Amino acid sequence: MTSLPPQLDFPKTEEEICANWAKNETFKTQDRLSRERGDEEFSFYDGPPFATGLPHYGHILAGTIKDVVTRYACMNGYSVTRRAGWDCHGLPVEYEIDQMLNITHRDQVLEMGIDKYNATCRGIVTRYTSEWETTITRLGRWIDFKNDYKTMDANFMESVWWVFQTLFDKGLVYQGYKVMPFSTACGTPISNFEAGLNYKDVRDPAVVVSFPVVGMEEEGVNLVAWTTTPWTLPSNLALCVHPTLEYIQILDKKSGKRYVLAKSRVSQLYPQIKSKKFKKETLPDIYTVEKTFVGKDLVGWKYQPLFDFFANEPDSPQYFRVLSDTYVTDDSGTGIVHQAPAFGEDDYRVCLVHKIIIKGGDIPCPVDSNGIFTAKIPPVQGKNVKDADETLIALVKAAGRLVQKDNYDHSYPFCWRSDTPLIYKAVPSWFIRVEEIRDKIVANNKDTYWVPGSVKTGRFHAWLTDARDWAVSRNRFWGTPIPIWANEDMTEVICIGSVEQLFKLSGVKVTDLHRETIDSITIPSQKTPGQVLKRIDEVFDCWFESGSMPYAQKHYPFENKESFEKTFPADFIAEGIDQTRGWFYTLMVLSTALFDKPAFKNLIANGMVLASDGKKMSKRLKNYPEPTVIINKYGADAVRMYLINSPVVRAESLKFQESGVFGVLKEVFLPWYNAFRLFLQNIERWELDTEKKFIASSELVDTTTNPTDIWMLAATQNLIQFVRQEMDAYRLYTVMPALVSYVTQLTNWYVRLNRDRLKGIVGNSEAEIALQVFYDILLDVTVLMAPFTPFLTEYL
């Protein structure tokens, strides 16, 4: 045994070990040997990140958790395929290209050419893969970057086609016209779970607007509605009340006008009456109640439209009347809700039920895909909807219809990619019928095991029980094209599930499946000879692709059919808690739709790593140290242990502290390393004194009668049993504290109490027993620590 230097440069030593692993192909060799032995497969899915940016602490945390669990599985005799993957398509890439090329409208892409646009996208998607490989490898994570998968590869895309066709054939796909969260910056609808990823507190203008009742002009009776989206007022087609809520007609003493609103919401018009200082006896000087109604009594009342932009539409005789629905509440506003069916999910539903609009018919929508008002609304033509608020409010005021103007502070969804406010907009989309299989999804979730379990039974269960049909189409360019070919009126529709099927039907053989390759391919109509079917315009939402990764990474069912079916569902996956509405959700939806199974058996959901001040880490604010700087300063093992030994592993937040990483080095690694040095120094002394070679002997260990030996050996066995029990339950957050506590006991107490025995002061015979016990303990703890701190355990 060789002695250790007095001081160890941990980062430099780790780099040398990394180089040695690469030179000897250690990871590759381990993987090969496990397969040659025929080890049982431990199935693991690695969620694909975008490689358009560098890895941050969130990636490092999730990667460390994955590495710990898969290393542990290998050490227990399993074969683990650890294959890196990359999310290449979708808004993150397109948004960056749009910024680079100053593209603000989809027509600019069409003018440029989809082929050139997609080529530009392709050029940046793997821009940082080498940096990712360098950082992840430096962290000690063993994962195969050479045999990676990319969502833009033809084989991956073909399997995505198969997934969609399977759902299509099951009747789980439909085209609908639905109000969706819509990113005006990206020009596309996004899913409900994407809309929930980025809420911010905002201040919006809030107005109360009057709607004169037809036939009551002389009395001056007005319905009053409150809205925080004044830009939707030009699209108003109806008003909605609650059918059983009590409404009143009041006379406003100051203006002489009569207003109809919910009885419980009079304070919206007169906020002073809520004040404790308000004198009730002055109420008659402000307003008087003239009539009382129930909401259903108001249904059918007609009113004068606020604007006349849609007053002469073919369906306008049905417009501008009062409807009722129970979604109306009296917790804010006036108890009367203005209806713009093109811009509200409930508005659309209610107007459809009351035949204000017709299913499949056109909906008045004067806003384009970039959130810009069209020529239909001349006063704000060319303006973004949010920028048009003040102009429209001024028009309402000029018309004498503005009753009240105020500000409203509330939480509002922003686009998770462009960080711009979302709007809700009616768009034609292709949907997966999630609601039809929702009960199966909920049941399959019950068959999974989560750490922490509260995430599974709490937020994820709640999300599943309220899951809605999933809009999987995007009106974009860089993505997997939706494989539907149809005639113009959609009476003949074919869904393609493979390259071979496309070849058989069109006669065209392709090796790439992006839009620039397949958009021009036509399929002869089987119903109308001489006509052709063309592919629809949309591409898949990139979440559909990542949810398809269990199948697509293996090119299932075209290849690897047996190996996939043998290892599905995955034994283990892990990502951040934010993926409850993202990857975890899409995996569960698609696996249920395809096989009525969950996609995974065990899952660890980690919390978020925040800056030291508790705020979100921000490159702009520079409120956190760069990961590479910390790794180069303290070593990857210290970073790994700091992250794993923190609340973040049980889905809580962690305020990242550099001092915490240094603390691991100082309080755990240095004492542990010095214990090894002490052991080797005393081996060398014992061998010189006895002229014998030290040979490990479990028999000698068993002969010890020293109380501290027996205590530490028992503690070691208890630790081994505990670690196995907790690792089998994926509770990393209990394992690390126990390991840290054990190392502290070993270095602070056992070594201190046995220093004289180890040095031979009480005789070399007793020293040999002490050294044998010490060796046995150090070996066991090194093996236990190996998945967590691979570099230090490799060195020792």
Side-chain angles (χ1 to χ4, degrees):
M1 295 185 183
T2 58
S3 60
L4 298 175
Q7 292 184 327
L8 183 67
D9 186 331
F10 288 91
K12 182 180 178 182
T13 302
E14 290 178 352
E15 289 172 1
E16 292 170 353
I17 291 171
C18 269
N20 191 50
W21 282 344
K23 179 182 177 182
N24 297 323
E25 296 186 329
T26 310
F27 168 48
K28 188 176 180 180
T29 301
Q30 181 210 59
D31 194 47
R32 175 178 55 80
L33 290 174
S34 70
R35 299 189 189 288
E36 289 177 356
R37 290 192 302 265
D39 293 345
E40 184 181 346
E41 181 78 16
F42 179 88
S43 180
F44 161 68
Y45 297 154
D46 194 24
F50 286 100
T52 51
L54 295 172
H56 52 66
Y57 285 106
H59 297 120
I60 290 170
L61 168 63
T64 300
I65 292 171
K66 296 169 189 176
D67 192 56
V68 168
V69 172
T70 53
R71 280 180 179 269
Y72 178 78
C74 287
M75 290 173 65
N76 279 277
Y78 289 97
S79 174
V80 186
T81 299
R82 286 162 277 184
R83 190 180 179 200
W86 306 105
D87 220 337
C88 303
H89 289 144
L91 287 182
V93 181
E94 289 203 32
Y95 182 71
E96 189 166 339
I97 295 302
D98 289 351
Q99 297 297 299
M100 182 193 307
L101 302 178
N102 197 28
I103 291 173
T104 58
H105 201 280
R106 63 182 282 113
D107 288 345
Q108 293 172 265
V109 177
L110 298 174
E111 290 171 10
M112 173 186 182
I114 295 175
D115 56 340
K116 293 177 181 177
Y117 183 82
N118 279 358
T120 311
C121 291
R122 190 188 296 270
I124 72 160
V125 291
T126 57
R127 180 173 56 196
Y128 293 119
T129 52
S130 60
E131 286 87 347
W132 271 78
E133 183 171 357
T134 299
T135 301
I136 299 305
T137 301
R138 177 63 187 85
L139 277 163
R141 185 180 178 195
W142 280 2
I143 187 165
D144 189 353
F145 285 101
K146 305 305 178 192
N147 184 36
D148 60 1
Y149 70 87
K150 299 180 180 70
T151 60
M152 67 178 181
D153 290 342
N155 283 353
F156 192 100
M157 295 169 72
E158 184 178 26
S159 289
V160 172
W161 276 16
W162 170 82
V163 170
F164 186 73
Q165 185 194 52
T166 304
L167 271 55
F168 186 91
D169 291 346
K170 288 185 174 186
L172 294 176
V173 174
Y174 70 95
Q175 186 183 31
Y177 203 63
K178 195 169 185 179
V179 176
M180 295 286 296
F182 195 94
S183 171
T184 57
C186 300
T188 188
I190 65 173
S191 61
N192 283 306
F193 53 82
E194 286 176 292
L197 295 176
N198 187 20
Y199 267 80
K200 294 186 178 185
D201 291 331
V202 298
R203 172 167 287 186
D204 279 322
V207 294
V208 175
V209 179
S210 65
F211 296 86
V213 179
V214 173
M216 301 184 188
E217 290 88 351
E218 288 188 11
E219 299 99 309
V221 178
N222 299 266
L223 296 154
V224 287
W226 175 81
T227 181
T228 60
T229 54
W231 63 268
T232 64
L233 287 171
S235 304
N236 170 265
L237 299 187
L239 297 173
C240 190
V241 298
H242 191 288
T244 61
L245 202 61
E246 190 174 1
Y247 290 81
I248 56 175
Q249 177 181 305
I250 63 172
L251 173 64
D252 179 65
K253 293 299 181 70
K254 185 177 181 180
S255 67
K257 293 184 178 181
R258 290 176 168 84
Y259 298 131
V260 175
L261 73 166
K263 181 180 180 180
S264 57
R265 295 305 307 162
V266 175
S267 61
Q268 177 66 50
L269 297 188
Y270 311 107
Q272 67 268 34
I273 68 176
K274 293 191 297 183
S275 171
K276 291 181 180 179
K277 296 180 181 180
F278 179 73
K279 296 178 181 179
K280 292 185 178 180
E281 59 269 20
T282 65
L283 198 62
D285 297 329
I286 301 172
Y287 74 89
T288 54
V289 178
E290 296 184 331
K291 294 181 182 179
T292 301
F293 312 90
V294 177
K296 63 183 180 180
D297 297 337
L298 306 176
V299 174
W301 282 20
K302 286 187 168 288
Y303 61 87
Q304 294 175 16
L306 185 59
F307 298 104
D308 60 2
F309 303 123
F310 297 106
N312 298 311
E313 296 290 305
D315 295 324
S316 61
Q318 294 295 323
Y319 300 167
F320 314 124
R321 54 190 170 93
V322 178
L323 321 173
S324 71
D325 192 87
T326 55
Y327 96 91
V328 176
T329 66
D330 65 348
D331 56 2
S332 62
T334 63
I336 300 176
V337 182
H338 118 79
Q339 305 288 286
F343 304 113
E345 194 170 1
D346 283 314
D347 304 40
Y348 177 83
R349 175 183 58 79
V350 172
C351 286
L352 200 61
V353 169
H354 289 270
K355 295 183 170 45
I356 296 290
I357 57 175
I358 301 170
K359 192 170 185 178
D362 290 333
I363 303 174
C365 181
V367 175
D368 71 12
S369 62
N370 291 100
I372 305 298
F373 274 105
T374 66
K376 188 69 180 175
I377 316 294
V380 287
Q381 181 182 352
K383 279 193 174 185
N384 181 275
V385 292
K386 288 291 184 180
D387 297 332
D389 279 339
E390 292 304 322
T391 301
L392 292 168
I393 292 171
L395 290 173
V396 173
K397 184 178 181 180
R401 305 280 288 271
L402 183 64
V403 179
Q404 186 184 75
K405 180 188 176 185
D406 204 347
N407 291 317
Y408 181 60
D409 297 323
H410 62 136
S411 185
Y412 192 83
F414 276 60
C415 175
W416 65 280
R417 178 49 52 181
S418 64
D419 208 33
T420 55
L422 297 173
I423 65 172
Y424 283 78
K425 187 174 185 289
V427 290
S429 296
W430 290 89
F431 292 86
I432 305 299
R433 297 184 190 275
V434 174
E435 294 167 36
E436 189 172 305
I437 59 172
R438 185 163 52 198
D439 290 345
K440 291 182 179 180
I441 298 172
V442 171
N444 284 331
N445 183 47
K446 292 178 180 178
D447 292 336
T448 62
Y449 175 79
W450 289 52
V451 174
S454 58
V455 179
K456 167 191 169 180
T457 57
R459 70 162 66 185
F460 193 63
H461 176 76
W463 186 252
L464 294 182
T465 55
D466 195 39
R468 302 177 185 179
D469 288 356
W470 175 14
V472 296
S473 59
R474 297 291 179 265
N475 300 98
R476 300 298 298 182
F477 307 97
W478 177 242
T480 300
I482 293 183
I484 287 179
W485 271 257
N487 58 0
E488 286 190 11
D489 61 5
M490 300 297 290
T491 56
E492 184 178 1
V493 178
I494 295 176
C495 185
I496 302 296
S498 69
V499 171
E500 183 61 29
Q501 184 186 8
L502 180 61
F503 172 65
K504 286 182 178 178
L505 293 176
S506 69
V508 181
K509 193 77 171 179
V510 295
T511 55
D512 179 73
L513 297 180
H514 287 93
R515 286 193 61 175
E516 62 270 24
T517 303
I518 70 163
D519 276 6
S520 61
I521 297 175
T522 59
I523 294 175
S525 170
Q526 297 177 6
K527 292 183 177 180
T528 312
Q531 293 188 7
V532 296
L533 309 182
K534 296 180 179 180
R535 197 192 72 81
I536 61 172
D537 188 61
E538 295 92 338
V539 299
F540 282 113
D541 167 18
C542 60
W543 288 102
F544 188 86
E545 295 178 318
S546 57
S548 300
M549 69 77 59
Y551 331 104
Q553 68 163 339
K554 286 181 172 284
H555 196 207
Y556 180 85
F558 309 103
E559 296 181 78
N560 305 305
K561 195 171 188 296
E562 184 179 346
S563 67
F564 166 77
E565 292 172 356
K566 186 179 178 182
T567 57
F568 180 82
D571 289 300
F572 169 68
I573 65 170
E575 293 295 343
I577 194 171
D578 55 322
Q579 294 302 323
T580 51
R581 294 185 175 189
W583 191 50
F584 301 157
Y585 176 75
T586 60
L587 284 174
M588 187 69 77
V589 168
L590 292 183
S591 65
T592 300
L594 291 169
F595 303 111
D596 195 15
K597 291 181 181 179
F600 52 86
K601 300 174 185 175
N602 304 288
L603 181 152
I604 295 177
N606 62 263
M608 309 307 290
V609 184
L610 306 174
S612 59
D613 58 3
K615 295 180 181 178
K616 186 177 179 180
M617 288 186 170
S618 167
K619 287 185 178 181
R620 179 177 59 83
L621 297 176
K622 297 182 179 178
N623 60 351
Y624 68 96
E626 286 292 334
T628 51
V629 173
I630 297 298
I631 293 168
N632 291 335
K633 190 173 182 180
Y634 303 107
D637 274 349
V639 174
R640 288 169 65 113
M641 180 173 275
Y642 170 69
L643 291 173
I644 294 296
N645 189 32
S646 76
V648 79
V649 186
R650 54 177 184 268
E652 297 175 16
S653 295
L654 168 67
K655 296 178 183 178
F656 187 89
Q657 305 280 352
E658 182 176 343
S659 59
V661 183
F662 174 67
V664 170
L665 201 65
K666 180 182 177 182
E667 298 168 18
V668 181
F669 289 178
L670 287 175
W672 186 15
Y673 175 75
N674 288 330
F676 266 88
R677 281 193 70 239
L678 178 67
F679 168 71
L680 292 175
Q681 287 169 351
N682 284 289
I683 287 290
E684 187 176 357
R685 182 209 56 77
W686 183 85
E687 289 181 339
L688 285 172
D689 285 356
T690 63
E691 297 181 346
K692 295 180 182 178
K693 187 72 174 173
F694 180 83
I695 300 173
S697 169
S698 58
E699 289 80 7
L700 272 176
V701 173
D702 293 339
T703 65
T704 186
T705 57
N706 183 281
T708 58
D709 286 351
I710 295 171
W711 161 62
M712 206 64 209
L713 287 167
T716 304
Q717 291 306 308
N718 285 338
L719 178 67
I720 292 171
Q721 182 180 10
F722 178 79
V723 169
R724 294 193 68 87
Q725 170 189 304
E726 296 302 287
M727 285 298 291
D728 288 345
Y730 297 90
R731 289 190 289 263
L732 275 63
Y733 60 88
T734 63
V735 172
M736 281 313 300
L739 285 169
V740 171
S741 175
Y742 176 87
V743 170
T744 302
Q745 291 179 54
L746 173 65
T747 56
N748 284 359
W749 292 105
Y750 181 76
V751 170
R752 184 181 301 175
L753 293 171
N754 286 277
R755 197 175 294 274
D756 288 347
R757 287 177 68 219
L758 293 167
K759 289 182 176 180
I761 293 175
V762 295
N764 280 326
S765 177
E766 185 63 20
E768 182 179 13
I769 293 175
L771 288 168
Q772 291 287 354
V773 171
F774 202 8
Y775 172 81
D776 195 70
I777 290 169
L778 288 173
L779 177 62
D780 284 341
V781 74
T782 301
V783 172
L784 284 175
M785 293 288 282
F788 301 91
T789 56
F791 292 110
L792 187 53
T793 52
E794 174 87 358
Y795 178 78
L796 297 175

